[in-house]
Amino acid sequence: MTSQAILKGAIDGLKENQYLLAEKYYYGMGAEKNVALAESWYKEAAKRGHTASIYMYAYLLLSGEGGNIDLKKGTRYLKKAVKRNYLHALLLLARNYYYGYGVKKSEKFAFKLWDKGAKLGCPEAEYYLGLCYAKGIHVKTNILKSKKHLYNALENGYQIASIAIEDFINPKLI
């Protein structure tokens, strides 16, 4: 699809075209990078229910990369993307709950989101669950459950899990 066709479709209200145009501006692919303009197109596509746009609009509101930080609105949009099982949104919202960014700090909610992500097959969520069980975050320390989640994460391509396995599961004896 040509840039002109994408622009015409975006102006005509086609959410996929709005998303594609936002991506062009956000990443500077075939257009000069312009995050503020990307944010406005993500917002339009998000209003029309485009899931990846809902996440990206939330991300830009939360990070301020587009010019303004709006934690309340960003979190609201992030939660919409999580309801659609969008894994990037789920992981970001879990981290926000864990650290208390834009929401009240809650290891419990972070854990629940990581658990949901693991059930959806997300290796990064498996990794965080493994850490929770290894460190006793919101749950009792359980090395067997920690191993299960960390090895699942590793087997599914999340290489950072190997460090946690080395540190928590198979620590070097001094």
Side-chain angles (χ1 to χ4, degrees):
M1 187 179 298
T2 67
S3 290
Q4 288 296 347
I6 292 172
L7 177 60
K8 183 182 180 328
I11 291 168
D12 289 344
L14 299 175
K15 65 184 177 184
E16 188 64 31
N17 289 51
Q18 292 169 336
Y19 171 73
L20 291 172
L21 194 57
E23 292 280 282
K24 286 175 78 71
Y25 285 118
Y26 184 75
Y27 293 104
M29 300 181 311
E32 188 173 328
K33 184 174 172 116
N34 184 329
V35 178
L37 191 53
E39 182 177 350
S40 69
W41 284 111
Y42 284 130
K43 180 180 180 181
E44 289 302 314
K47 285 181 188 176
R48 288 175 172 72
H50 190 275
T51 304
S53 294
I54 294 169
Y55 165 72
M56 283 302 296
Y57 183 55
Y59 172 79
L60 291 172
L61 290 170
L62 292 166
S63 70
E65 195 178 335
N68 296 310
I69 292 177
D70 188 335
L71 298 179
K72 190 173 186 177
K73 190 177 199 180
T75 299
R76 191 170 64 244
Y77 272 88
L78 197 58
K79 287 178 178 180
K80 285 181 185 182
V82 169
K83 284 182 182 174
R84 294 166 175 241
N85 293 329
Y86 196 73
L87 292 176
H88 294 296
L90 185 143
L91 292 167
L92 181 56
L93 187 60
R95 283 190 294 271
N96 287 356
Y97 271 113
Y98 183 78
Y99 292 108
Y101 184 75
V103 292
K104 185 177 181 194
K105 182 176 171 56
S106 174
E107 292 175 353
K108 177 182 178 179
F109 286 133
F111 181 88
K112 284 183 175 187
L113 287 166
W114 288 321
D115 187 51
K116 178 179 179 177
K119 288 175 181 165
L120 290 170
C122 177
E124 188 175 346
E126 288 269 11
Y127 166 76
Y128 284 111
L129 275 182
L131 291 181
C132 287
Y133 282 110
K135 295 180 174 187
I137 298 170
H138 179 66
V139 290
K140 283 183 145 182
T141 300
N142 185 322
I143 296 303
L144 288 177
K145 286 185 178 183
S146 178
K147 276 184 181 183
K148 173 191 164 217
H149 290 293
L150 290 172
Y151 280 112
N152 281 344
L154 185 60
E155 288 172 9
N156 288 294
Y158 201 71
Q159 296 301 311
I160 294 171
S162 65
I163 297 168
I165 291 167
E166 189 174 303
D167 289 348
F168 299 114
I169 306 303
N170 301 321
K172 292 181 177 120
L173 299 175
I174 298 176

